[in-house]
Amino acid sequence: MKITERPSLKALNSFGVEAAARLLIQLDSEEDVLSMPPFDPAKDLLLGGGSNVLITSDVPGTVWLNRITGRNIVDSNPDYVWVDAGSGENWHDLVRWTLEKGLSGIENLSLIPGLAGAAPIQNIGAYGVELSSVLESVTAWDRLKAGWTELSTGDCQLAYRDSRFKSVEPGRYLVTSIRMRLNRAYHPRLAYAGLVDELRAMGITRPSASDVSNAVIRLRSRKLPDPSKLGNAGSFFKNPVLPADRAARLARRYPGLTNWQMDQETVKLSAAWLIEFCGFKGSRHGDAGVSENHALVLVNHGCATGSEILALANSIQTAVFEEFGISLETEPELVSF
Ligand code: EPU
């Protein structure tokens, strides 16, 4: 357990916004969790990789940094291998490690910033795959009951960029490790637009899981800004899901509106398309801006505060609502005290 007084949080959030706290305590092991002083949600903040938060005020109390590491194969049978990862493991390094072991299942989730413990919080997803397809269980410290608990995938209530940890009982659980069931045999999932084209551009027609990982890395690197160079938290809004008849009316009125049929009743619309239509792509308001490569990504050009980025997000929400009648939901956790 490492303790720092009056830390700056700038290097601890991928937006790179400045914020202060009274104390920073790094949790390196499950024993550290046991010796944690009481957590006060009104004053304290639990932070993983900081890649999915927008901090808009100082933290009056303590920031707990979850850095519990460890990755292990814990079980296997002829078809599957079960892998445990500490919540502080870097997600992308974990993906590459599973590929080196000849395992597949999370290759489409390559290069997602952040740590493994955050993966179930927002059920990370990309290129047609979500964590929910491989997650077996989550081990967490239950603050309510002051004891360890294991939650099955069902208990986690995973949905599109959502979970029990995020919206049902925020703050109750401190995730310390996740267990995934990965495949020995590779089952490619290449349906997401652009993936097959990218593989073709790489000269690959029968891809391995590692090839798909490399293709995803190329796609993401081209479209999404690298947070170590330009502060951002990936997609700032969720893609809105609408009843099919309403989506059809909008598609008739706005030809070109990108959308995906989810099931018979619902259609997902591209939030990036809506935002680009409203003229925000590449725009800049002081140091807060919208990426010129992807309209869904808000960026910090240097010294933007969290409040300035939030103000830009609010004006995007207003413009999209006035044009389309759609309320965009934010994806990152908004932190303010
Ligand atoms: N598009 C635009 N303008 C843009 C960018 C995209 O109109 O500036 C349209 C295009 O038609 C494009 C379509 O949106 O074909 C989809 O774009 P993209 O493939 O980049 O996907 P997305 O729906 O914008 C989602 C996830 C990303 C994930 C990608 C790939 C959400 C909120 N975001 O973005 O996740 O990487 O799909 O699977 O679901 C994240 O959550 O932080 C994240 C980056």
Side-chain angles (χ1 to χ4, degrees):
M1 187 183 278
K2 287 192 206 82
I3 303 178
T4 314
E5 281 179 31
R6 301 297 308 166
S8 159
L9 305 182
K10 192 173 169 71
L12 299 175
N13 71 97
S14 66
F15 259 122
V17 298
E18 189 57 271
R22 198 178 62 78
L23 218 57
L24 178 75
I25 301 185
Q26 180 169 316
L27 303 169
D28 293 308
S29 64
E30 295 190 344
E31 291 74 55
D32 285 354
V33 175
L34 290 175
S35 51
M36 239 175 108
F39 179 94
D40 179 356
K43 286 201 305 206
D44 299 339
L45 173 68
L46 181 67
L47 212 50
S51 59
N52 205 44
V53 288
L54 179 62
I55 304 175
T56 59
S57 74
D58 288 341
V59 179
T62 301
V63 173
W64 301 92
L65 216 48
N66 191 338
R67 292 291 181 270
I68 302 169
T69 53
R71 48 193 183 203
N72 296 294
I73 289 177
V74 291
D75 201 359
S76 66
N77 70 19
D79 296 323
Y80 302 114
V81 172
W82 283 263
V83 166
D84 273 7
S87 48
E89 285 289 325
N90 174 280
W91 174 261
H92 178 66
D93 292 347
L94 177 65
V95 174
R96 298 300 286 191
W97 179 79
T98 63
L99 291 167
E100 279 162 25
K101 300 269 175 229
L103 306 174
S104 61
I106 50 176
E107 59 285 349
N108 293 40
L109 305 180
S110 295
L111 212 62
I112 294 184
L115 306 181
I121 310 291
Q122 64 150 0
N123 183 24
I124 56 171
Y127 298 96
V129 173
E130 287 185 341
L131 182 78
S132 52
S133 63
V134 294
L135 189 74
E136 185 94 346
S137 63
V138 165
T139 302
W141 176 258
D142 181 348
R143 288 204 194 95
L144 200 65
K145 296 192 173 158
W148 293 105
T149 184
E150 194 178 300
L151 296 107
S152 69
T153 317
D155 294 336
C156 295
Q157 299 178 35
L158 303 179
Y160 169 52
R161 294 297 190 277
D162 201 8
S163 70
R164 172 180 192 160
F165 310 110
K166 188 172 173 184
S167 56
V168 183
E169 294 181 288
R172 174 168 173 183
Y173 298 100
L174 190 159
V175 173
T176 52
S177 72
I178 64 171
R179 178 165 297 181
M180 296 181 291
R181 192 189 73 172
L182 302 177
N183 303 307
R184 287 188 189 276
Y186 178 45
H187 311 288
R189 280 160 302 174
L190 305 175
Y192 196 89
L195 203 43
V196 169
D197 293 341
E198 193 66 29
L199 286 159
R200 204 172 291 133
M202 293 160 66
I204 294 165
T205 44
R206 295 189 59 223
S208 65
S210 295
D211 293 332
V212 171
S213 170
N214 291 335
V216 168
I217 291 170
R218 281 165 56 119
L219 278 166
R220 287 188 75 99
S221 308
R222 232 177 16 248
K223 285 187 181 184
L224 301 168
D226 176 351
S228 67
K229 300 195 177 105
L230 185 64
N232 75 88
S235 301
F236 198 86
F237 301 102
K238 293 189 195 180
N239 287 325
V241 177
L242 265 55
D245 55 342
R246 192 166 160 223
R249 280 198 300 278
L250 279 168
R252 274 197 298 277
R253 187 158 162 214
Y254 297 96
L257 169 53
T258 306
N259 61 86
W260 304 271
Q261 187 85 36
M262 303 302 289
D263 50 43
Q264 292 249 304
E265 278 105 55
T266 54
V267 170
K268 196 187 259 185
L269 301 184
S270 159
W273 193 95
L274 305 175
I275 295 167
E276 184 169 349
F277 185 91
C278 292
F280 284 94
K281 189 170 179 174
S283 67
R284 188 168 168 165
H285 309 260
D287 268 355
V290 179
S291 164
E292 54 192 19
N293 295 329
H294 205 301
L296 204 44
V297 181
L298 300 198
V299 295
N300 178 4
H301 287 285
C303 295
T305 63
S307 304
E308 285 165 347
I309 294 169
L310 188 60
L312 173 59
N314 290 339
S315 55
I316 291 172
Q317 284 169 313
T318 303
V320 167
F321 185 77
E322 283 174 359
E323 179 66 38
F324 302 102
I326 292 171
S327 303
L328 289 183
E329 257 181 70
T330 53
E331 199 199 84
E333 187 193 345
L334 305 178
V335 172
S336 83
F337 290 91

